[in-house]
Amino acid sequence: MNQQEIFEYIKKQYPANPERITQNGKQIIIFKNQRNNIPYAIFYQSDKSVMSIMEVQAESDMISNYIEMYHFAPAKYMNQKHWLAVSMDGTVSDSKVLDMLDMSYDIVDEQEECQRNKKWTVG
């Protein structure tokens, strides 16, 4: 699955307009949850090649497991305690790429729900 196919999936699944920034001459594309403006996916080219990388959020207690089991890498741009990098070079199955993207979106969406519940908590 290439980056453009993932962008099409995001457009259908989670309506969002990507934010594009340039850092050190490289373009970084950020997708944020529309309701709470929290990033759930970041795309960029690796330093060593033209391979695309997708950074996504994951449960912090699972990061090391994902890195070990699926050969993901620690995040480069985001907090490594909560984010990991998924190589888009074909070594990760399409279904796992989409699973990781969906999981990241769900984590961000839950953050919105938690914030809303805190506002209404009495005590």
Side-chain angles (χ1 to χ4, degrees), residues 64-77:
S64 60
N65 292 343
Y66 286 123
I67 290 171
E68 186 177 322
M69 287 173 36
Y70 299 106
H71 307 290
F72 296 159
K76 177 178 178 179
Y77 288 102

Side-chain angles (χ1 to χ4, degrees), residues 26-123:
K26 293 189 179 248
Q27 186 176 57
I28 301 168
I29 302 167
I30 304 167
F31 286 92
K32 296 180 179 180
N33 182 301
Q34 291 287 346
R35 292 185 312 159
N36 59 23
N37 208 34
I38 299 174
Y40 62 89
I42 297 172
F43 295 85
Y44 58 90
Q45 301 295 316
S46 71
D47 291 334
K48 298 178 179 117
S49 68
V50 294
M51 176 180 55
S52 293
I53 304 290
M54 174 180 75
E55 286 191 10
V56 291
Q57 286 199 42
E59 298 293 337
S60 57
D61 59 341
M62 292 297 294
I63 296 283
S64 60
N65 292 343
Y66 286 123
I67 290 171
E68 186 177 322
M69 287 173 36
Y70 299 106
H71 307 290
F72 296 159
K76 177 178 178 179
Y77 288 102
M78 301 302 281
N79 182 329
Q80 292 182 358
K81 183 178 178 185
H82 301 284
W83 288 75
L84 52 86
V86 179
S87 173
M88 306 301 295
D89 64 356
T91 58
V92 179
S93 72
D94 292 353
S95 63
K96 181 50 70 180
V97 169
L98 296 179
D99 285 348
M100 297 307 293
L101 179 64
D102 292 338
M103 179 183 65
S104 185
Y105 185 89
D106 290 344
I107 289 170
V108 167
D109 215 37
E110 288 172 10
Q111 290 172 2
E112 164 75 10
E113 187 70 28
C114 287
Q115 291 295 2
R116 213 170 334 141
N117 288 339
K118 283 181 184 177
K119 290 178 184 176
W120 294 105
T121 302
V122 177

